Amino acid sequence: MLHLKLETDPRWVTIVESNLEEILTDHAWCEQKAATNAITIITLNSEKEDLVTELLELAKEELEHFQMVHNIIKARGYTLGRERKDHYVNQLYKFMNKGGNRVQSMVDRLLFSAMIEARSCERFKLLSERIKDKELSKFYYDLMVSEAGHYTTFITFARQYGQDVDVDQRWKELVEFEGELIKSYGKNESIHG
Ligand SMILES: [Fe+2]
Ligand SMILES: [Fe+2]
């Protein structure tokens, strides 16, 4: 799936099913973070018209996802809990080279974003295939398709604007890094947990 090194253990779905209110709260905040991240990339690259145009659309979609999750939470009589930290994303962030030039930083940020989309997509696919709740199964299938498109958007811009960077090599390094990182996850009821 999207060339990730390690697939999630399907037993993670059983953990998720034991606490749907928690996974939905965590998921809602993942979508908020995805929208915020897209806006940060826009802020850092305002002169790139095509990138700004596409990432504005992407940010809108992430906010729509946030709204969709919130609607499910409300319909089920749950409460949207306080923002959850995403330890996986925080650890993945450490891969990014903060000392490089502007192009290198941008490529790293785009690849970091693509990786989160890829892993989210993998998790959503697993949920759509295995979760017993019919509404959520359909919901996660639709989101999987959307996040796969976002993955492509980020990778495409990394290649387009990373002229002096070996983008494929950097992606390979990130896949390795993530492959090690994810080994300690898959054990709790959060989207990346
Ligand atoms: Fe999303
Ligand atoms: Fe996304």
Side-chain angles (χ1 to χ4, degrees), residues 31 34 58 62 65 117 146-147 150 154:
E31 299 295 355
L58 189 150
E62 302 295 19
H65 295 169
E117 297 287 356
S146 174
E147 311 301 4
H150 295 168
F154 286 124

Side-chain angles (χ1 to χ4, degrees), residues 12-13 121-134 136-144:
W12 168 75
V13 177
C121 200
E122 193 260 348
R123 291 282 171 102
F124 291 167
K125 179 171 185 284
L126 192 58
L127 283 175
S128 74
E129 288 168 353
R130 301 229 172 204
I131 203 162
K132 291 179 201 81
D133 187 306
K134 290 273 176 293
L136 292 182
S137 169
K138 164 90 174 76
F139 178 60
Y140 282 111
Y141 180 84
D142 293 342
L143 283 194
M144 172 190 72

Side-chain angles (χ1 to χ4, degrees), residues 6 88 119 123 177-186 192:
L6 203 73
Y88 163 81
R119 181 55 72 184
R123 291 282 171 102
F177 182 87
E178 201 265 353
E180 282 302 310
L181 180 61
I182 202 68
K183 283 180 185 168
S184 50
Y185 288 86
H192 302 121

